[in-house]
Amino acid sequence: MRNDGSAFTDFDVHNYLRKRGFKNPDGEWFECTEAHVKVALIALKSGEKNEENRTLNFAMRPEHKKAVEETAHYFNNFDRTVSTRTPEFLWNAKMRFGKTFTAYQLAKAMNWKKVLVLTFKQD
């Protein structure tokens, strides 16, 4: 099943693998690794290209979704006619929250093309 609830079949996986250059000289079986099939499944499920060839797909936890929704709402409703300042939103989250992952999810939700994520780690 795709993330939107629609279905795909093994033929879709085959087509994806063929487009990526994998051969199947004997019909059903392809000359590829398990990781390549996982990449194909993630791409077909998400409807995205998966050019990074990720084999793992992480869903947002409820706290990530809440952070993205609240932040997107803030940016979408920021009134630029009232203030000339650049809007800012701070996530005061604990370590291991997933701030970088959530920032990428926010960028996707907002259709941002350029994102700079700064992190700090003290030894």
Side-chain angles (χ1 to χ4, degrees), residues 91-103:
W91 288 332
N92 188 12
K94 295 180 181 178
M95 285 181 58
R96 312 302 308 160
F97 169 79
K99 292 178 286 293
T100 301
F101 170 74
T102 308

Side-chain angles (χ1 to χ4, degrees), residues 48-111:
E48 298 174 359
K49 287 185 179 178
N50 194 7
E51 292 177 8
E52 302 86 12
N53 293 321
R54 291 176 290 122
T55 58
L56 299 174
N57 196 15
F58 300 98
M60 285 195 289
R61 298 189 308 255
E63 60 269 27
H64 296 143
K65 287 182 183 179
K66 182 179 177 189
V68 168
E69 288 169 0
E70 288 180 4
T71 308
H73 177 77
Y74 171 79
F75 282 117
N76 287 330
N77 292 298
F78 186 82
D79 190 354
R80 295 187 195 287
T81 62
V82 174
S83 177
T84 58
R85 71 177 179 83
T86 302
E88 297 177 357
F89 198 96
L90 176 65
W91 288 332
N92 188 12
K94 295 180 181 178
M95 285 181 58
R96 312 302 308 160
F97 169 79
K99 292 178 286 293
T100 301
F101 170 74
T102 308
Y104 290 140
Q105 299 305 312
L106 174 64
K108 284 174 60 176
M110 299 293 294
N111 291 317

Side-chain angles (χ1 to χ4, degrees), residues 6-29:
S6 64
F8 62 91
T9 68
D10 58 338
F11 295 110
D12 297 310
V13 177
H14 295 176
N15 288 334
Y16 183 91
L17 292 172
R18 274 190 210 96
K19 286 179 185 175
R20 296 292 232 160
F22 295 104
K23 306 290 183 210
N24 63 326
D26 297 323
E28 180 78 18
W29 305 103

